[in-house]
Amino acid sequence: MTKYLPILIILSKVTSLQCFPHSTSPFFQRGTSSAWNKKQFASPYRVTRQSRRCCIKAIFGSFASSKLSFSRDRYTSKKVPLHKPIIQVISDIDDTIKSSGGVEVGGIALGGIDTQYERGDFYPGVFQFMMEISSHRLNLGDENPQDAAFDSKPPPIPPLKVAVLTARAEEFRAALELKPSSKLVVAFQKAGETIGFPDWGIGPVLYGSVAEWVVQDRKGLRKFTNFERLMEQGRELNPNSKDLPGAGALEYIYVGDTGERDQEAGETMLREYPELVRAVFLHAVAYKEWPVATPPSKLINGRPVVFFRTYVGAALKAVQIGLIDTDALDRVIASAESDIGHIPLTDTRWIDLNFDIKKARQFFTINPRLV
């Protein structure tokens, strides 16, 4: 091992550098905030932990993978009484949970751009999807959550409530606040009742401001900074970790849409906190346009960014990346079919939903039970 010591010292020096202005290597990633304002938030290139691992593996080959212990071990269950980190879903509201209807005031979108559904309509299956994501790991006591199936018994601990990052202005909170009696809160509670937790639903809500409502380009940055505020609240779940808030105890899944800078916010989360953000799901929406183009899924720092048209499609992707099982997918399908009700088969809402249901059924035939 001593003969490798000089190389390790060189690597440690290289990975401590802060700026590689001309590098195009995939080992390096661009700082986050420059996506919005390069002059004000310019951030240098930096070497990630993944970079260090790749460099060491390239030099030592199988020796590195079998002998060296990397810093990722800090984020495992060794520091918390859980075999795997639990999940908290973070969600936008307008055009993610319910349709904005594409309403505009003075040429400024009032919450979003989706015109396929009426303003205020909930998207079919959305509450079931978020409940399945939130509760999937909690009923599993074994080391690998993919080794056991979700059954009708309640999880041993309550699923975390859904945190909300919204562009709604704090100044209008009195009119826009999510009250316990609101339809959205009640719908979440009904989904929680199906697994024995009627108090599950909306948790912390972090608002935007009038400034972001007027200057639309600032919405992504505001949602990202609100996410960092949320992480600070998660620190108490693992007070022994001084490096990352909530590390080891908590991971996040962000659900947003393509209409209000949610993609910028979600991708920034993955660039800055890949250890904590498990995945980003983005509802593809458009203004007075159908069919809606749905971008292909992609990876950022090894974490998936998933685009979807319906929550059945989102659930299918969640099964494929190991976030829920096929039983959960079946429940999301049943919920979506119930939510959409009786509408004409020529309605674009049914066409989109039916398309994703058929894809899910085809997946079932190939994977009759994938957990």
Side-chain angles (χ1 to χ4, degrees), residues 287-342:
Y287 182 72
K288 296 181 179 180
E289 178 184 331
W290 189 88
V292 177
T294 305
S297 300
K298 60 182 178 179
L299 294 176
I300 295 180
N301 272 340
R303 299 297 197 183
V305 179
V306 175
F307 297 89
F308 64 94
R309 281 292 294 139
T310 75
Y311 279 93
V312 170
L316 176 57
K317 291 289 187 181
V319 171
Q320 293 170 337
I321 59 180
L323 297 177
I324 60 175
D325 56 38
T326 49
D327 289 339
L329 171 58
D330 206 23
R331 289 190 290 269
V332 173
I333 293 174
S335 175
E337 289 177 326
S338 174
D339 292 344
I340 202 168
H342 298 287

Side-chain angles (χ1 to χ4, degrees), residues 36 220 223-224 254 261-270:
W36 290 288
K223 289 181 179 180
F224 173 71
Y254 180 54
R261 306 289 177 175
D262 292 349
Q263 182 173 349
E264 291 181 5
E267 291 184 357
T268 303
M269 295 174 193
L270 295 180

Side-chain angles (χ1 to χ4, degrees), residues 99-288:
S99 174
S100 66
V103 177
E104 296 182 345
V105 175
I108 299 175
L110 189 62
I113 63 173
D114 184 29
T115 52
Q116 185 181 36
Y117 285 77
E118 296 293 328
R119 181 172 177 81
D121 284 355
F122 296 131
Y123 294 109
V126 58
F127 303 108
Q128 189 72 26
F129 171 78
M130 293 189 181
M131 188 272 290
E132 298 291 353
I133 293 287
S134 298
S135 62
H136 177 62
R137 281 183 172 178
L138 301 180
N139 63 312
L140 307 171
D142 51 341
E143 181 65 22
N144 185 355
Q146 300 302 314
D147 291 339
F150 185 91
D151 55 30
S152 58
K153 297 180 181 179
I157 58 176
L160 292 179
K161 293 184 177 182
V162 175
V164 173
L165 305 182
T166 177
R168 295 183 176 193
E170 178 78 29
E171 294 85 347
F172 302 148
R173 183 172 179 174
L176 300 175
E177 187 175 12
L178 297 174
K179 298 178 174 61
S181 59
S182 71
K183 291 182 179 179
L184 187 146
V185 174
V186 171
F188 267 110
Q189 289 175 342
K190 288 182 178 179
E193 288 175 357
T194 63
I195 58 167
F197 291 105
D199 293 332
W200 178 78
I202 294 295
V205 180
L206 292 90
Y207 293 86
S209 68
V210 172
E212 287 89 41
W213 185 64
V214 175
V215 185
Q216 300 283 310
D217 290 347
R218 297 182 57 179
K219 288 184 177 181
L221 178 58
R222 178 58 177 255
K223 289 181 179 180
F224 173 71
T225 56
N226 278 345
F227 169 67
E228 293 189 311
R229 289 172 55 198
L230 178 68
M231 287 195 304
E232 289 299 324
Q233 299 175 16
R235 182 184 294 276
E236 62 189 36
L237 289 176
N238 191 4
N240 295 326
S241 174
K242 297 180 181 179
D243 299 297
L244 293 170
L250 187 62
E251 289 182 344
Y252 301 95
I253 293 177
Y254 180 54
V255 185
D257 61 83
T258 59
E260 284 205 315
R261 306 289 177 175
D262 292 349
Q263 182 173 349
E264 291 181 5
E267 291 184 357
T268 303
M269 295 174 193
L270 295 180
R271 291 190 182 99
E272 294 299 311
Y273 301 103
E275 302 88 356
L276 294 178
V277 183
R278 187 75 184 277
V280 171
F281 287 81
L282 295 171
H283 181 211
V285 294
Y287 182 72
K288 296 181 179 180

